[in-house]
């Protein structure tokens, strides 16, 4: 399928292919699109990511070398869905793919959405960098479903990367956090999305390695009125801990409340998909005490000076603390601008920018020093363990995930 823009070279696989074919926009003004869910429970998180992206671009004066960068924020959600939507996501990706000035695309927030946009942008030869996707199968085959990740890259070349550690790392961090907090039997639930189901699968795999007993692993209905019967089933399993692989939009607050009502002493664990105000501000005091969340964002004090400056600048400019993924929005824009810069005079050539992205090594960033590996993944691996107090997320500890 073609979208009327220059595709990229031969069908040879891998990201290291040359940029011999022309992917030049032919323009000195380049557009970077952002696609995030701006409606539903994820709105606050997404707006915070957008703010981070804008701050990173402003820090460069809106320019890279001789190129002026235009930023366009798109919405991949709908009011009817109340969260990211496949049709809206596809429309965003096609808009960027069909714009001849497009040099990059920041998104999506949700891994299931990126499973839709990656193939569209891949065929158009547009670099895509996600600030938040963690589903393993988007970039690597280990622990992925059949056909992943190749099915996302119809051109045969890699065009996608991310600045957050993938879920084979979060899965291991989750199990470590559960064991650290006394869990002996854990029940896994997931929201049946690419992200949630994949993460639960990674948690189950890590549990085998680390010796945590899993007594159940099932999907839940995100549209159910309540989860009382689900909670009773889990209670009968003998689980002392429950992990939910999913996002706030998929009824996570109601699920946690019903689980806590049925199992008041059970410890409830969630991933980065619920590390947002729309979730933790609605739990209440009793439920807060048994809630544990893994989240790649660490205590600001643990970041290098550039990262600590980000948090200060954000609060000064926007008058509020950033949501967890704001700093990843900043870094997603930052690494894309570096790829354009490293492409030099070919900064308006899509393939040259993709090649430059995959060659980034030892980048000093707000997150610390990292490289982009051959899969498009960051080499960063630390996760944070968080608690909830008085409606706010409170950093607990750094988790050094053991993935093997």
């Amino acid at each position: 399928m073609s979208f009327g823009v220059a595709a990229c070279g031969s069908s040879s696989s891998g990201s290291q292919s040359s940029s011999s074919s022309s992917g030049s926009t032919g323009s000195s003004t380049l557009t970077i699109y952002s696609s995030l869910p701006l409606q539903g429970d994820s709105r606050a998180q997404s707006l915070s990511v957008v703010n981070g992206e804008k701050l990173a671009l402003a820090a460069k004066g809106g320019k890279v070398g001789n190129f002026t960068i235009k930023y366009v924020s798109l919405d991949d959600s709908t009011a009817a869905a109340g969260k990211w939507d496949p049709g809206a996501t596809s429309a965003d990706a096609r808009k960027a793919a069909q714009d001849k000035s497009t040099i990059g695309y920041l998104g999506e927030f949700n891994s299931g959405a990126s499973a839709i946009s990656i193939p569209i942008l891949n065929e158009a030869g547009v670099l895509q960098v996600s600030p938040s996707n963690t589903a393993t199968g988007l970039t690597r085959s280990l622990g992925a479903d059949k056909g992943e990740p190749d099915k996302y890259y119809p051109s045969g070349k890699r065009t996608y990367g991310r600045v957050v550690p993938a879920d084979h790392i979060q899965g291991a961090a989750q199990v470590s956090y559960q064991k650290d907090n006394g869990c002996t039997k854990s029940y896994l639930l997931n929201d049946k999305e690419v992200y949630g189901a994949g993460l639960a699968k990674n948690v189950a795999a890590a549990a085998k390695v680390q010796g945590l007993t899993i007594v159940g692993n099932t999907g839940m209905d995100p549209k159910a009125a309540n989860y009382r019967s689900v909670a009773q089933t889990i209670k009968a399993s003998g689980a002392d801990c429950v992990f939910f692989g999913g996002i706030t939009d998929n009824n996570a607050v109601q699920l946690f409340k019903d689980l806590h009502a049925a199992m008041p002493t059970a410890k409830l664990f969630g991933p980065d998909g619920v590390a947002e105000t729309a979730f933790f501000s609605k739990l209440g005091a009793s439920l807060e005490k048994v809630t544990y969340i893994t989240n790649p964002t660490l205590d600001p004090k643990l970041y290098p000076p550039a990262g600590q400056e980000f948090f200060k600048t954000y609060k000064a400019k926007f008058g509020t603390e950033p949501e967890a993924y704001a700093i990843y929005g900043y870094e997603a824009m930052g690494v894309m601008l570096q790829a354009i810069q490293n492409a030099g005079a070919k900064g308006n050539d899509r393939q040259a920018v993709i090649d430059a992205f995959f060659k980034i090594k030892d980048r000093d960033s707000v997150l610390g020093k990292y490289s982009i590996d051959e899969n498009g993944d960051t080499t960063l691996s630390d996760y944070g363990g968080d608690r909830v107090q008085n409606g706010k997320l409170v950093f607990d500890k750094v988790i050094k995930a053991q993935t093997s």
Side-chain angles (χ1 to χ4, degrees):
M1 186 181 298
S2 173
F3 297 98
V5 291
C8 35
S10 70
S11 60
S12 60
S13 62
S15 60
Q16 307 305 320
S17 56
S18 72
S19 54
S20 56
S21 64
S22 175
S24 175
T25 67
S27 173
S28 61
T29 298
L30 308 174
T31 302
I32 294 177
Y33 283 90
S34 168
S35 178
L36 300 166
L38 303 178
Q39 303 176 74
D41 285 338
S42 296
R43 175 176 169 79
Q45 179 85 274
S46 294
L47 291 178
S48 201
V49 173
V50 167
N51 288 340
E53 292 169 351
K54 288 179 176 177
L55 280 179
L57 182 57
K60 293 291 186 181
K63 292 179 69 76
V64 178
N66 293 324
F67 301 109
T68 298
I69 308 298
K70 176 184 174 185
Y71 174 81
V72 179
S73 173
L74 303 176
D75 183 1
D76 72 8
S77 65
T78 63
K83 62 174 189 175
W84 77 270
D85 173 81
T89 301
S90 178
D92 287 357
R94 290 174 190 277
K95 181 179 179 65
Q98 292 169 344
D99 182 345
K100 292 183 178 179
S101 75
T102 299
I103 197 65
Y105 187 94
L106 301 174
E108 313 295 332
F109 187 82
N110 300 95
S111 295
S114 284
I116 292 171
S117 61
I118 290 173
I120 296 170
L121 295 159
N122 178 260
E123 282 203 304
V126 173
L127 174 63
Q128 178 175 359
V129 178
S130 171
S132 55
N133 290 163
T134 55
T136 310
L138 295 178
T139 58
R140 54 183 63 221
S141 58
L142 185 64
D145 288 337
K146 185 178 181 181
E148 291 182 326
D150 292 347
K151 67 180 183 180
Y152 301 124
Y153 304 96
S155 75
K157 295 180 178 180
R158 293 297 186 97
T159 50
Y160 167 87
R162 52 186 158 194
V163 293
V164 62
D167 278 341
H168 65 297
I169 294 173
Q170 181 167 204
Q174 256 292 334
V175 173
S176 294
Y177 202 31
Q178 291 183 33
K179 291 190 68 176
D180 288 348
N181 285 285
C183 298
T184 59
K185 297 179 181 178
S186 187
Y187 197 105
L188 312 183
L189 278 173
N190 72 81
D191 63 3
K192 301 180 183 177
E193 288 198 7
V194 170
Y195 161 73
L199 178 53
K201 185 177 179 181
N202 278 284
V203 171
K208 283 185 179 179
V209 174
Q210 297 188 42
L212 176 66
T213 299
I214 301 298
V215 294
N217 186 357
T218 58
M220 50 81 84
D221 177 6
K223 296 182 179 179
N226 65 71
Y227 300 94
R228 293 170 197 152
S229 63
V230 172
Q232 289 302 322
T233 298
I234 296 174
K235 182 178 180 180
S237 75
D240 52 18
C241 295
V242 183
F243 169 73
F244 171 59
I247 59 176
T248 306
D249 296 291
N250 284 336
N251 226 353
V253 173
Q254 187 63 51
L255 174 66
F256 270 59
K257 286 183 175 179
D258 288 343
L259 289 171
H260 184 53
M263 309 166 64
T265 61
K267 293 173 180 174
L268 308 181
F269 289 78
D272 62 309
V274 299
E276 55 189 357
T277 302
F279 176 77
F280 55 70
S281 67
K282 299 175 181 176
L283 298 183
S286 179
L287 181 48
E288 287 180 353
K289 294 177 182 176
V290 297
T291 298
Y292 301 76
I293 296 171
T294 48
N295 169 22
T297 305
L298 308 178
D299 188 314
K301 294 192 294 291
L302 299 177
Y303 285 110
Q308 296 178 33
E309 186 62 30
F310 163 79
F311 287 99
K312 293 177 184 176
T313 301
Y314 188 102
K315 187 172 183 178
K317 184 170 180 61
F318 301 108
T320 184
E321 299 287 350
E323 292 272 345
Y325 271 104
I327 193 169
Y328 288 93
Y330 186 98
E331 180 52 25
M333 174 65 85
V335 73
M336 184 168 284
L337 295 178
Q338 184 182 344
I340 296 169
Q341 178 177 318
N342 290 357
K346 291 188 174 182
N348 62 353
D349 183 303
R350 291 176 175 177
Q351 188 59 52
V353 173
I354 292 168
D355 291 344
F357 172 77
F358 280 92
K359 291 177 180 175
I360 286 177
K361 303 297 179 190
D362 298 327
R363 169 175 162 78
D364 287 316
S365 78
V366 290
L367 301 172
K369 182 174 289 188
Y370 73 93
S371 300
I372 297 296
D373 70 14
E374 68 276 12
N375 297 308
D377 287 337
T378 174
T379 54
L380 293 173
S381 61
D382 282 350
Y383 256 82
D386 293 337
R387 301 301 309 277
V388 184
Q389 294 177 3
N390 301 318
K392 295 183 178 179
L393 204 61
V394 178
F395 182 77
D396 179 16
K397 60 187 294 186
V398 174
I399 305 171
K400 300 288 186 182
Q402 299 298 316
T403 57
S404 63

